[in-house]
Amino acid sequence: MTIPNEIRPALRDELDALARGERPALLTWVENYGHGGAELIRQPEEIWSHPASELQHGSNGSAWGCVPLWTTEESPSDLTAEFEVSSTGKVALTDVRVL
């Protein structure tokens, strides 16, 4: 599924913060990925329309979804970022996990 244009900037901000290490509580799987951990990169534009990207809409105007994550070694990796979008359009990453 394609991630809608209207939430991309806010989601981009959250993903960039994650890649910079500013969301340490969400980096457990990244640090333990593979043999020595992984290093996230700034996520490419392909993330918005990648087949593994998902978005579900709630009845109250909120949404939730996930996108695959690119690393220095894999494009994309098996790491996935989960996010929520409030009814007001605020985006928050909620988890990073391995598929």
Side-chain angles (χ1 to χ4, degrees):
M1 159 163 232
T2 299
I3 303 299
N5 289 334
E6 58 268 14
I7 68 168
R8 290 179 187 183
L11 183 53
R12 163 68 67 205
D13 289 346
E14 286 296 304
L15 292 169
D16 286 352
L18 180 71
R20 289 190 303 266
E22 296 172 9
R23 304 289 184 268
L26 297 175
L27 293 174
T28 301
W29 283 104
V30 176
E31 293 166 352
N32 294 300
Y33 186 73
H35 296 294
E39 182 179 343
L40 297 174
I41 63 169
R42 186 168 199 267
Q43 301 306 297
E45 292 299 309
E46 293 93 334
I47 198 170
W48 309 129
S49 59
H50 191 275
S53 294
E54 297 180 26
L55 185 70
Q56 301 291 321
H57 295 276
S59 60
N60 65 351
S62 65
W64 61 94
C66 62
V67 290
L69 295 173
W70 273 246
T71 68
T72 56
E73 300 291 323
E74 298 178 299
S75 52
S77 68
D78 289 333
L79 293 162
T80 300
E82 296 178 356
F83 62 93
E84 292 179 352
V85 183
S86 72
S87 59
T88 62
K90 183 176 177 175
V91 175
L93 295 181
T94 58
D95 197 11
V96 173
R97 60 181 170 85
V98 176
L99 289 177

